[in-house]
Amino acid sequence: MSKQATKEKKTKKTDNILNDYKLVCKSREMSLLGRKEVLTGKAKFGIFGDGKELPQLALSKHFKDGDFRSGYYRDQTIMMAIGKLTVEQFFAQLYANPDTEKDPNSGGRQMNAHFATRLIDEEGNWVDQTAQKNTSADMSPTAGQMARLLGLAQASKVYRENDLLSDWKQFSKNGNEVAWGTIGDASTSEGIFWETINAAGVLQVPMVISVWDDGYGISVSKKYQTTKESISSVLRGFKRTKKQPGFEIMNVKAWDYQALLDAYAEASKIAREEHVPVLVHVEEVTQPQGHSTSGSHERYKDEERLNWEEEYCCINQFRKWIEKENLLKADELDRIEEEAKKEVREAQKKAWQEYQDPIKQQKDEMMALIDSLISNHSDVEKLEELKKGLKRKNNVIRKDVISAGRQALFALRGKDSGSKSDLIKWLDHQQEENQQRFNSNLISDTPNSPLNVEEVAPAYPDEAKQVDGRVVLRDNFDKIFDKYPNALVFGEDVGQLGDVNLGLEGMQEKYGELRVSDTGIREATILGQGIGMSLRGLRPIAEIQYLDYLLYCFQGLSDDVATVRYRTSGGQAYPLIVRTRGHRLEGIWHSGSPMGMIINGVRGVHVCVPRNLTHAAGFYNTMFQGDDPALIVEPLNAYRLKEKLPENLGEFTLPLGIPEVVQEGEDITVVSYGSTFNLVQSVLPQFEEAGISVELIDVRTLLPFDRNGMILESLKKTNRILFVDEDVPGGATGYMMQQVIDEQGGYRYLDSEAKCLTSQPHRPAYATDGDYFSKPNAEDIFEAVYEIMHEANPGNYPAIR
């Protein structure tokens, strides 16, 4: 190499290092200024990445297009360094700007430092993930991001090994992507971290987990958090050897620039090329401002620790290294720091102005409306008071403006004028706008929404075969796997056995272990696999063997799956299906029906409760045509009950939120779902014998529920209603009653009290007697209906006892 080339290379290296220094200085200034904005009342809460700037910078140098991040709320420097976060965007989120152009991470819906790249367009179509650096949507529950990380990494393995996906260039380049995970050291105490570590070691997927170790979990020292006070020491048993696969484990100091560069270069190479998971334990991290704006770290760190943190601040050590290497003099470094501060301050001011301008415009409009009201209603003193109060507010939020308008309306109750009509019109328009700003995107409203899938009925030949229900399900899965090359299923006993009820019998042999696979007993990361893979263009079915064990992964289902479309303001989605089975088997933990808990914790997920396995198959077919997540609960006692085998397997569909009137009647409406519905249906002959005309309705899905008001129409005809299920009192029956009687206005049509019939308030006892006395039985159902009819007409229906 010539002297000139050597000089140019050295100059380029120096420039890169100085750019690095400026970036970490900007990130630090963002943290410092962000805290001030909170403490002066311009933002609600702040949590920042100060102290972690240098290791995050080193990591970002190996973050390539197509890679994914699954991190947490300390990662602002990573996001800046990979070009996915500007200073203005950072402050826009801090101020909760609901404009996704200003805060593309969440549209103001998540508190600051919760990052996400936009992965779907307005039509619901995936963007080209290989043309950008990607980050999955952050959430606050510590370690919650770990389960998703497993699936993001596994997707690379699937794309590398599934030849049918070789042309899916929008999501992967031959499976060479790395999933980058970040977590605070204290959060490694969470069980989901350990479950992810174990599963990643078994699966051998390309992930790099960085543990930022600053010695504390908020105020709690790591001596109370981690055995040996070192997560890397504890994990040494996971380290790979020449004979056994496992993790690669590295240790590096947060303030050592060159060592950090070397460590992440090696970690990236191992994960990307060998598909081996890597853990990088970044030690001696500092946290200059403490955990968040909620408190001060001086309360729990002694003077010696505080002095050490000041000395070993990564930016301070980086500057010393630059000076030692004679790359720049002190005054030039001072200039870089001042430039960084100036740029951050200017961007912050711009972000604040862009946040305030549209609200101030609304304030001016409201002031004009109130002035008009005062002119027409000068006798209402409250109006002047509202005007003065609103005028005094300099840093105004939408709540201030809307609240003033609504209070003005109350003050004018019973009065009419054109100016009052103008106010009502303005508030109605703002209601629509704020609905979009703050309440939209719970579920898909794109053309790909599963709500748009039309019903296609099962078709049967003249001589339809009667088969076990599980055969309908199995043969339908066969069609799905053949039709969708990106479909895969995994869970306990799913692969070799074909699931515990043989609903996947023979599928692994036909489609291979990559697509039909067994997992360990680890429900949280089974869900995590599904989450991550669904975000990368795959269509996973994550099986949780029994509904009772959904609790192991309920946190991820509730906090992550149910909220992702909402918390990214439509920027991300998980088209994931969670398959499980429940209702009516034996004992406390194999007969679960905790539907009330589920539906109130997973708004944003479609909850399907089919009464048989043909209906279950129809729901799978529906969801594969849509872009939303679903929980499908197969009825446990249906696998060996006989059903007709449709000839259009893989094609017939069931609509979401559309009940089915299974029997029409005139006297009373009975509403149920799942296995309990079948029990109600078995009692129909007794109702007929007693002279009771029952209209029997299967809701089929609890989320969404009765979108076309079919149950209300039935109630208008019968004027009496009973809701039946096997959840605890006040559970899903209480939910259904609220939807029909309150939401749909069914109370107007009642001639008798609306009733619910549920299980006992405890878990079901074991065996047939336990089922009979714990859950609604045939006699309970008959007597509940009969009692309603007796109360209405004791002459026709004399008392039973």
Side-chain angles (χ1 to χ4, degrees):
M1 185 180 291
S2 66
K3 289 184 178 180
Q4 180 62 28
T6 302
K7 182 178 179 181
E8 289 177 356
K9 183 178 180 181
K10 183 177 180 181
T11 300
K12 184 178 180 181
K13 180 180 178 181
T14 300
D15 289 344
N16 287 337
I17 292 171
L18 298 182
N19 287 334
D20 288 349
Y21 186 69
K22 184 173 184 179
L23 190 145
V24 298
C25 288
K26 286 176 69 173
S27 183
R28 178 63 60 86
E29 182 62 20
M30 286 160 58
S31 298
L32 297 172
L33 185 54
R35 184 179 181 89
K36 291 179 182 177
E37 292 298 276
V38 174
L39 297 181
T40 56
K42 289 166 72 177
K44 190 76 172 180
F45 178 81
I47 197 160
F48 308 103
D50 45 303
K52 299 159 183 69
E53 295 91 349
L54 204 59
Q56 291 189 11
L57 177 74
L59 181 157
S60 69
K61 291 181 179 296
H62 303 282
F63 199 121
K64 297 185 177 182
D65 286 350
D67 285 0
F68 264 85
R69 168 188 162 276
S70 185
Y72 80 132
Y73 43 71
R74 302 292 186 190
D75 291 350
Q76 69 198 46
T77 308
I78 295 176
M79 296 299 293
M80 293 173 67
I82 65 174
K84 289 298 176 181
L85 179 71
T86 67
V87 181
E88 288 174 34
Q89 290 168 348
F90 177 85
F91 282 100
Q93 190 180 48
L94 184 69
Y95 301 137
N97 192 326
D99 186 345
T100 54
E101 293 294 321
K102 307 304 180 185
D103 170 26
N105 297 285
S106 69
R109 294 182 178 189
Q110 294 221 93
M111 64 185 185
N112 81 298
H114 287 64
F115 306 114
T117 48
R118 304 196 76 75
L119 299 178
I120 53 178
D121 63 22
E122 292 183 357
E123 295 298 308
N125 301 310
W126 293 108
V127 303
D128 185 351
Q129 296 179 359
T130 66
Q132 66 177 26
K133 297 174 176 65
N134 308 287
T135 195
S136 57
D138 293 344
M139 54 184 188
S140 291
T142 58
Q145 72 274 20
M146 289 290 101
R148 185 199 317 137
L149 175 67
L150 180 68
L152 291 169
Q154 189 180 3
S156 292
K157 184 174 183 176
V158 172
Y159 281 116
R160 178 174 287 189
E161 298 182 11
N162 186 350
D163 293 338
L164 295 174
L165 301 178
S166 59
D167 293 331
W168 291 54
K169 303 297 185 182
Q170 189 179 6
F171 300 102
S172 179
K173 295 179 180 177
N174 303 315
N176 292 325
E177 301 78 28
V178 171
W180 300 87
T182 64
I183 187 170
D185 180 64
S187 295
T188 65
S189 299
E190 295 277 9
I192 191 64
F193 170 81
W194 291 89
E195 193 171 308
T196 301
I197 289 289
N198 183 55
V202 170
L203 291 171
Q204 289 293 282
V205 291
M207 68 163 64
V208 178
I209 298 178
S210 296
V211 179
W212 314 133
D213 184 356
D214 61 19
Y216 293 86
I218 305 184
S219 67
V220 180
S221 168
K222 66 180 180 180
K223 69 181 180 180
Y224 301 112
Q225 304 272 3
T226 308
T227 302
K228 300 183 180 180
E229 298 188 47
S230 170
I231 192 62
S232 55
S233 296
V234 174
L235 290 174
R236 288 298 167 189
F238 286 87
K239 187 174 174 63
R240 64 174 177 166
T241 67
K242 292 181 179 180
K243 294 182 179 181
Q244 293 180 307
F247 263 74
E248 191 58 60
I249 298 176
M250 303 176 184
N251 294 72
V252 65
K253 306 299 184 187
W255 46 264
D256 191 333
Y257 179 68
Q258 192 59 58
L260 286 163
L261 294 178
D262 293 343
Y264 279 107
E266 184 182 359
S268 175
K269 187 174 188 297
I270 291 170
R272 199 178 304 278
E273 296 180 8
E274 301 179 48
H275 272 201
V276 169
V278 182
L279 183 131
V280 182
H281 185 187
V282 182
E283 301 174 282
E284 298 189 9
V285 179
T286 64
Q287 195 158 281
Q289 297 187 111
H291 175 73
S292 69
T293 54
S294 291
S296 169
H297 63 153
E298 285 85 355
R299 293 166 57 197
Y300 53 86
K301 292 177 183 175
D302 60 27
E303 186 175 354
E304 181 181 0
R305 173 70 190 197
L306 291 170
N307 290 336
W308 177 89
E309 289 199 6
E310 185 175 349
E311 172 67 18
Y312 280 89
C313 163
C314 63
I315 298 179
N316 185 26
Q317 289 293 319
F318 191 19
R319 174 172 175 141
K320 288 182 178 180
W321 180 84
I322 292 172
E323 291 176 337
K324 180 182 177 183
E325 295 292 317
N326 295 315
L327 299 176
L328 218 61
K329 294 181 180 179
D331 60 340
E332 294 173 304
L333 289 169
D334 291 342
R335 179 180 55 79
I336 290 175
E337 292 175 11
E338 285 304 313
E339 287 178 358
K341 290 179 180 180
K342 181 181 178 182
E343 290 177 17
V344 169
R345 288 170 186 152
E346 290 176 351
Q348 172 267 317
K349 289 177 182 177
K350 184 178 179 183
W352 176 251
Q353 182 178 344
E354 289 177 339
Y355 169 61
Q356 281 285 285
D357 282 352
I359 305 178
K360 286 184 176 180
Q361 181 180 340
Q362 292 177 9
K363 174 186 174 182
D364 292 342
E365 292 171 359
M366 178 57 67
M367 294 290 289
L369 287 165
I370 294 177
D371 281 339
S372 179
L373 290 171
I374 291 171
S375 297
N376 286 277
H377 304 280
S378 57
D379 58 320
V380 182
E381 296 180 2
K382 180 68 174 179
L383 296 176
E384 284 286 358
E385 179 186 330
L386 290 170
K387 178 182 175 180
K388 290 178 183 178
L390 187 58
K391 187 176 182 179
R392 281 196 299 267
K393 292 184 179 293
N394 292 319
N395 298 335
V396 65
I397 60 176
R398 286 182 173 84
K399 170 186 175 294
D400 300 327
V401 179
I402 301 301
S403 178
R406 294 174 71 177
Q407 289 185 60
L409 282 184
F410 179 74
L412 293 169
R413 62 194 182 278
K415 299 177 182 291
D416 292 310
S417 67
S419 56
K420 181 179 178 181
S421 297
D422 290 341
L423 175 60
I424 292 171
K425 184 178 179 181
W426 189 92
L427 286 171
D428 287 346
H429 174 71
Q430 290 302 317
Q431 174 65 22
E432 293 176 7
E433 294 288 317
N434 289 324
Q435 176 75 22
Q436 185 63 34
R437 290 185 183 107
F438 301 107
N439 307 121
S440 60
N441 293 299
L442 176 63
I443 58 175
S444 173
D445 61 1
T446 74
N448 302 321
S449 168
L451 298 183
N452 297 329
V453 177
E454 296 290 336
E455 182 169 12
V456 176
Y460 299 98
D462 292 338
E463 299 294 330
K465 290 168 52 178
Q466 290 280 341
V467 298
D468 289 347
R470 63 110 188 160
V471 173
V472 178
L473 199 60
R474 179 199 67 190
D475 291 358
N476 194 76
F477 279 134
D478 189 13
K479 296 293 185 181
I480 286 174
F481 295 133
D482 183 63
K483 183 177 182 180
Y484 300 99
N486 58 338
L488 62 164
V489 63
F490 43 89
E492 299 159 21
D493 301 302
V494 159
Q496 183 178 358
L497 189 63
D499 85 42
V500 291
N501 297 103
L502 301 183
L504 290 162
E505 181 186 29
M507 295 298 104
Q508 186 180 78
E509 183 178 358
K510 185 171 183 179
Y511 294 101
E513 291 187 27
L514 188 69
R515 297 184 64 191
V516 183
S517 55
D518 288 313
T519 69
I521 302 176
R522 47 174 183 78
E523 287 79 5
T525 45
I526 291 173
L527 177 70
Q529 287 175 255
I531 295 172
M533 286 193 280
S534 71
L535 199 59
R536 294 191 59 190
L538 300 174
R539 294 306 305 263
I541 302 172
E543 176 170 317
I544 305 301
Q545 195 164 91
Y546 292 103
L547 184 59
D548 303 87
Y549 303 119
L550 195 73
L551 286 173
Y552 280 107
C553 64
F554 195 71
Q555 184 268 329
L557 194 61
S558 180
D559 284 334
D560 199 354
V561 179
T563 66
V564 68
R565 193 182 288 273
Y566 173 79
R567 74 178 189 269
T568 60
S569 196
Q572 293 186 9
Y574 300 149
L576 158 71
I577 296 174
V578 178
R579 179 195 184 205
T580 189
R581 48 189 69 82
H583 314 311
R584 300 236 167 218
L585 191 62
E586 300 294 352
I588 292 177
W589 288 289
H590 290 85
S591 52
S593 302
M595 303 311 301
M597 176 198 76
I598 291 168
I599 59 178
N600 287 298
V602 300
R603 303 296 171 95
V605 176
H606 300 289
V607 177
C608 306
V609 283
R611 68 178 185 264
N612 58 46
L613 296 180
T614 301
H615 281 193
F619 282 131
Y620 286 111
N621 296 337
T622 296
M623 296 313 303
F624 264 88
Q625 295 182 42
D627 60 358
D628 266 340
L631 172 68
I632 299 177
V633 184
E634 298 169 11
L636 260 169
N637 53 6
Y639 294 101
R640 283 172 176 76
L641 297 178
K642 297 300 181 184
E643 299 183 33
K644 291 192 295 184
L645 184 65
E647 60 184 0
N648 57 341
L649 291 164
E651 302 298 330
F652 66 88
T653 58
L654 254 68
L656 303 178
I658 308 298
E660 179 185 5
V661 178
V662 176
Q663 174 176 289
E664 294 187 0
E666 301 294 331
D667 293 332
I668 186 170
T669 300
V670 178
V671 180
S672 192
Y673 60 87
S675 295
T676 307
F677 177 91
N678 297 327
L679 189 59
V680 177
Q681 192 172 25
S682 73
V683 185
L684 289 177
Q686 291 177 253
F687 291 136
E688 185 176 355
E689 181 182 346
I692 302 173
S693 178
V694 170
E695 181 136 302
L696 180 57
I697 299 179
D698 179 6
V699 301
R700 302 200 288 192
T701 64
L702 288 166
L703 294 176
F705 180 86
D706 192 12
R707 292 191 289 139
N708 60 4
M710 184 181 293
I711 300 173
L712 179 64
E713 292 305 311
S714 174
L715 182 57
K716 289 179 181 179
K717 178 173 60 172
T718 67
N719 307 118
R720 297 176 182 85
I721 194 165
L722 174 69
F723 300 93
V724 188
D725 81 346
E726 54 184 282
D727 195 2
V728 295
T733 52
Y735 160 77
M736 292 191 291
M737 179 183 282
Q738 184 273 332
Q739 290 286 296
V740 175
I741 305 303
D742 179 16
E743 193 75 18
Q744 296 181 2
Y747 66 89
R748 298 184 182 94
Y749 307 100
L750 289 172
D751 287 343
S752 298
E753 180 184 357
K755 293 286 186 72
C756 294
L757 178 61
T758 68
S759 74
Q760 295 296 317
H762 54 71
R763 299 285 182 93
Y766 175 59
T768 303
D769 275 352
D771 181 83
Y772 183 86
F773 292 106
S774 299
K775 294 187 173 185
N777 55 57
E779 286 73 31
D780 290 335
I781 295 166
F782 178 80
E783 290 172 7
V785 170
Y786 190 89
E787 179 59 30
I788 293 172
M789 298 308 299
H790 162 70
E791 183 182 39
N793 191 340
N796 285 351
Y797 307 101
I800 296 175
R801 60 174 67 198

